[in-house]
Amino acid sequence: GLPYSTTIQPVNPVLSSAGNTTQGMKQKLNRATLSLYQSMGGQFGTDLNHMYPIVYGPGTMGQQPAMSTFEITRDLDADWDDESTFYIVQDEPFPFTLRGLVMRMSYNQD
């Protein structure tokens, strides 16, 4: 493949219920689940300086790596902030298809 770098930054999640919203509240991302289709490579994290590699399992010496379809879930070490940021980066020359992203977030109502 051709060298190409992709950075995905979803919008800040905003939850609402019973007339209240999390917009403007202190919040923290606790966990993220990524659903990938026929992919290889990539990394994710709450800031671009502290990324987690997407691990596709053990490889086999001397064999071409295979594309994988799976979900990966990881607890995050995010700090409390006004907005919850999350990044997914693919800077390797491999296919990468993100089918879905689910984030678990805590927020402070005070």
Side-chain angles (χ1 to χ4, degrees), residues 50-101:
H50 301 94
M51 303 291 282
Y52 301 105
I54 298 174
V55 179
Y56 291 85
T60 305
M61 288 295 284
Q63 294 196 3
Q64 183 174 354
M67 300 298 118
S68 298
T69 298
F70 67 101
E71 291 184 355
I72 181 172
T73 299
R74 181 172 179 112
D75 292 332
L76 303 170
D77 57 354
D79 294 325
W80 288 93
D81 207 343
D82 293 330
E83 289 191 359
S84 297
T85 58
F86 188 77
Y87 299 92
I88 303 165
V89 176
Q90 168 60 316
D91 56 3
E92 300 175 36
F94 301 121
F96 189 85
T97 302
L98 178 66
R99 293 189 302 187
L101 171 64

Side-chain angles (χ1 to χ4, degrees), residues 16-38:
S16 62
S17 65
N20 293 326
T21 180
T22 59
Q23 185 139 12
M25 293 183 183
K26 292 290 185 187
Q27 49 192 268
K28 173 182 174 176
L29 286 177
N30 298 318
R31 176 180 290 177
T33 299
L34 284 71
S35 177
L36 302 173
Y37 175 75
Q38 295 295 300

